[in-house]
Amino acid sequence: MVSALEHWSYCHRQCALIHVEQAFDENLYTMRGRRVHEQVDQVESVTEHGVRVERAMPIWNRRLGLIGKADVVEFHADVPYPVEYKYGPRRQREDDDLQLCAQAMCLEEMTGQTVPCGAIFHHKSRRRREVLFTYNLRTQVEETVATIRALLASKRLPSPVNDRRCEKCSLKEACMPQVLEEPGREKRLLGDLFEVVSI
């Protein structure tokens, strides 16, 4: 899934929990994100100010083995321009850019057109941030896809990070970063669980 690139870039363990363990929980932040995406989750094809706009457009790239759905794709003189919707204020985040670039690479294979840039629409500030799909960003997409594929094949969970990213993560309860990060605690807990007591 194209979305796996964003998950991996944000947190390797989160990516594994979602795509290997099939774990997903809601919290305030995921509900806000879902609410924003309701605007673009209905398949629709319209023309706005002379620009063809496709919403909830299925995308794929056979060479990379990617599938997904683009929130919005604008066609400017037949050149696709992907727009990804995010809840928060306008800011630059590598995980957002990686996901958007992967969408562009899918659109390039599907349409035969070069996609030089796209945008992240930040719902809270109601502003777009344009992203250029540089050689380095495209290379990072290819490397990330290969890394995620290896993760899926191994079926192993990376170690937890237990840093500020965990505070807003909906998978904090499933991940338990504060417990698993402490050396020896897991072993002690398992030992206590199976302690044999003489009567």
Side-chain angles (χ1 to χ4, degrees):
M1 298 286 292
V2 170
S3 59
L5 279 80
E6 180 193 20
H7 299 142
W8 175 264
S9 179
Y10 184 74
C11 173
H12 298 355
R13 187 171 174 89
Q14 180 194 68
C15 181
L17 284 166
I18 293 170
H19 299 281
V20 175
E21 299 289 324
Q22 304 296 306
F24 192 78
D25 290 318
E26 289 273 29
N27 69 5
L28 175 65
Y29 304 102
T30 59
M31 287 188 286
R32 285 177 176 167
R34 191 165 34 83
R35 176 79 180 210
V36 166
H37 277 88
E38 285 174 1
Q39 301 172 43
V40 290
D41 275 348
Q42 299 299 317
V43 176
E44 183 181 34
S45 181
V46 296
T47 300
E48 298 174 355
H49 309 292
V51 175
R52 187 174 120 220
V53 178
E54 301 287 339
R55 291 186 174 85
M57 182 177 174
I59 55 173
W60 63 88
N61 183 306
R62 287 187 178 92
R63 182 179 66 81
L64 294 174
L66 289 174
I67 60 168
K69 183 170 67 172
D71 290 342
V72 172
V73 180
E74 299 173 354
F75 286 86
H76 300 266
D78 295 328
V79 176
Y81 186 88
V83 181
E84 176 68 17
Y85 277 52
K86 298 295 180 187
Y87 169 73
R90 188 173 186 268
R91 69 201 183 283
Q92 183 164 0
R93 285 184 37 183
E94 181 180 280
D95 39 305
D96 294 344
D97 295 0
L98 201 64
Q99 179 185 15
L100 188 65
C101 186
Q103 291 178 15
M105 293 168 77
C106 290
L107 290 164
E108 286 177 335
E109 185 180 278
M110 292 167 61
T111 66
Q113 298 280 346
T114 300
V115 182
C117 56
I120 306 290
F121 175 76
H122 299 276
H123 184 265
K124 196 167 185 181
S125 57
R126 302 270 197 239
R127 294 180 63 201
R128 285 185 176 189
R129 177 178 59 82
E130 191 161 81
V131 178
L132 298 177
F133 304 131
T134 63
Y135 173 81
N136 287 342
L137 189 55
R138 290 168 182 273
T139 301
Q140 193 177 353
V141 166
E142 301 229 7
E143 291 171 352
T144 303
V145 168
T147 303
I148 293 171
R149 190 156 283 120
L151 169 78
L152 294 174
S154 76
K155 299 187 185 315
R156 294 195 178 163
L157 288 177
S159 298
V161 291
N162 199 22
D163 62 19
R164 55 189 292 259
R165 289 173 287 179
C166 302
E167 294 167 15
K168 296 181 180 179
C169 182
S170 66
L171 297 177
K172 189 173 181 180
E173 294 301 315
C175 178
M176 297 186 293
Q178 69 285 358
V179 173
L180 297 178
E181 187 201 42
E182 296 176 27
R185 183 167 181 187
E186 181 182 12
K187 190 174 180 179
R188 285 193 315 276
L189 289 172
L190 284 172
D192 292 345
L193 183 64
F194 298 106
E195 183 179 357
V196 177
V197 180
S198 300
I199 301 178

